[in-house]
Amino acid sequence: LNFTIFMKLLAIVPYHLDFCAGQRFRIELWAKELGKRGIEVEFLPFTNKNLTNVLYQTGKITQKAVLMFSAFIEQLKKTFTVSKPDVVFIYREAAIVGPAIIEKIVRRWNVPIVYDIDEPLFVPYKSPSNGHLNKLKFFSKVDELFKTSDTIFAVNKAIADFAGKFNDNVHIVPMTVDLDRYKP
């Protein structure tokens, strides 16, 4: 089958592909289906396997910092060199640390931004493996993403209600099930 690509969707995601269940269900599974409908999905993941291999272990602060900084610089480079999409889809956050720098950069294209959130990332917490270093996540950047996105997909009513304080264009999109992995 030949498919005509008539739209490019840039999916900015926090994790490398096939690592995070939420990311798989919220966008990775859709990429194949969207492709069948002429929508090309290009992924810009923040992490790589080296980073995720140490990220959720206790300690290893120096190794995590070096890998995190490297991933941030790499994500910045990719953001500046990727071709302009028709739509930007941000799942959770463009970088798992820092303020919404990358998310602000993609605004330069002046294309619709869809922000997809499936966890209450706006609620501060103490990480079991990284302690209070998770303050580097900048929990307040989620509020900014709610304000600056054109559309918000929230996984449930609680998150949608919170997002609705910042943006009127909020839709509840429940979690999907991968029918290739889980047979009814």
Side-chain angles (χ1 to χ4, degrees):
L1 292 173
N2 288 331
F3 298 107
T4 301
I5 301 300
F6 63 89
M7 181 183 285
K8 178 182 173 186
L9 183 144
L10 180 64
I12 301 176
V13 296
Y15 299 103
H16 55 84
L17 301 184
D18 205 32
F19 173 76
C20 171
Q23 182 175 300
R24 247 188 340 268
F25 294 139
R26 302 299 285 181
I27 186 61
E28 290 178 36
L29 289 175
W30 289 101
K32 187 166 96 177
E33 292 303 316
L34 291 170
K36 291 177 184 176
R37 289 158 177 78
I39 301 171
E40 174 189 4
V41 179
E42 181 178 353
F43 287 92
L44 254 65
F46 177 78
T47 64
N48 55 45
K49 290 181 182 181
N50 291 335
L51 176 54
T52 56
N53 283 342
V54 297
L55 189 59
Y56 299 105
Q57 295 179 30
T58 305
K60 300 187 179 188
I61 301 299
T62 303
Q63 187 179 7
K64 288 177 188 178
V66 168
L67 291 169
M68 194 72 71
F69 181 74
S70 174
F72 194 87
I73 296 300
E74 186 62 29
Q75 189 74 324
L76 276 172
K77 285 181 192 175
K78 289 186 287 188
T79 304
F80 279 114
T81 58
V82 70
S83 61
K84 178 183 176 180
D86 297 299
V87 177
V88 173
F89 179 92
I90 300 172
Y91 170 71
R92 291 190 188 170
E93 54 202 348
I96 59 175
V97 294
I101 295 169
I102 294 166
E103 294 89 343
K104 287 179 183 175
I105 292 169
V106 300
R107 268 272 161 226
R108 79 186 189 280
W109 289 311
N110 199 27
V111 300
I113 294 179
V114 176
Y115 179 46
D116 187 16
I117 182 166
D118 64 345
E119 290 188 8
L121 300 177
F122 43 85
V123 177
Y125 66 94
K126 180 181 174 189
S127 168
S129 54
N130 295 307
H132 291 290
L133 288 176
N134 66 326
K135 289 180 182 176
L136 297 174
K137 291 182 72 62
F138 286 73
F139 296 103
S140 63
K141 78 177 164 185
V142 176
D143 297 354
E144 190 171 338
L145 292 172
F146 287 149
K147 291 176 194 172
T148 61
S149 297
D150 297 290
T151 301
I152 298 168
F153 292 168
V155 74
N156 59 38
K157 185 175 180 341
I159 293 173
D161 287 348
F162 187 82
K165 295 177 184 179
F166 303 93
N167 191 314
D168 292 332
N169 198 12
V170 180
H171 306 277
I172 297 174
V173 179
M175 197 60 79
T176 61
V177 175
D178 183 352
L179 294 178
D180 289 334
R181 288 188 184 193
Y182 305 101
K183 302 292 180 197

